Amino acid sequence: MEPLFKIASKDIQTMDLEPWLEQKSDELRSIAHKWFTTIMKCGTDVQEVFHDGCPVACIGDAPFAYVNAFKKHVNLGFFYGADLPDEMGLLEGSGKRMRHVKLRPEETIDERALI
């Protein structure tokens, strides 16, 4: 079994969610806020940090999910997404571990598949 990826304290950025969200378009802001809030409700031990310019959910120093907003979509990403079941084929990415789902304002997605 491979060791967990851990975020070192030197790699955590001093940022807050609300100012980060305010920099995003209204459409993307609501999507990013909704899904990061959902991620943070996954357990009482989930912590929010900023890493690589976006909000990341961690347990201790081990990240498991993130949200990032781009020009026309929001990525809901999973650090170990390659290991997740994906019956609906929503996960994208070709890396060894990480996968993401692109959420676009104009597209409807079965949210139950993401929970």
Side-chain angles (χ1 to χ4, degrees):
M1 178 177 205
E2 293 185 38
L4 288 176
F5 171 70
K6 295 185 178 182
I7 297 177
S9 59
K10 68 177 179 60
D11 296 325
I12 295 175
Q13 298 161 319
T14 306
M15 299 174 79
D16 291 312
L17 183 62
E18 290 306 317
W20 181 83
L21 286 169
E22 288 174 13
Q23 299 172 12
K24 311 306 175 195
S25 70
D26 290 342
E27 290 179 315
L28 298 182
R29 180 182 313 126
S30 64
I31 294 169
H33 183 267
K34 173 184 178 170
W35 286 104
F36 196 69
T37 301
T38 301
I39 292 168
M40 293 303 294
K41 291 178 182 175
C42 286
T44 58
D45 52 351
V46 177
Q47 302 169 24
E48 171 189 326
V49 300
F50 269 79
H51 176 68
D52 286 343
C54 66
V56 175
C58 297
I59 296 177
D61 55 0
F64 67 92
Y66 71 91
V67 173
N68 203 354
F70 297 91
K71 191 173 184 177
K72 296 188 179 199
H73 71 276
V74 171
N75 275 2
L76 172 58
F78 305 96
F79 282 81
Y80 296 92
D83 296 328
L84 295 175
D86 185 24
E87 292 85 21
M88 297 187 77
L90 298 175
L91 294 171
E92 298 182 36
S94 58
K96 185 175 181 179
R97 294 187 187 109
M98 294 181 77
R99 297 289 183 273
H100 63 275
V101 177
K102 287 184 181 171
L103 304 170
R104 294 177 176 88
E106 69 279 0
E107 293 180 5
T108 304
I109 193 164
D110 183 354
E111 294 182 2
R112 293 172 296 170
L114 297 177
I115 298 175

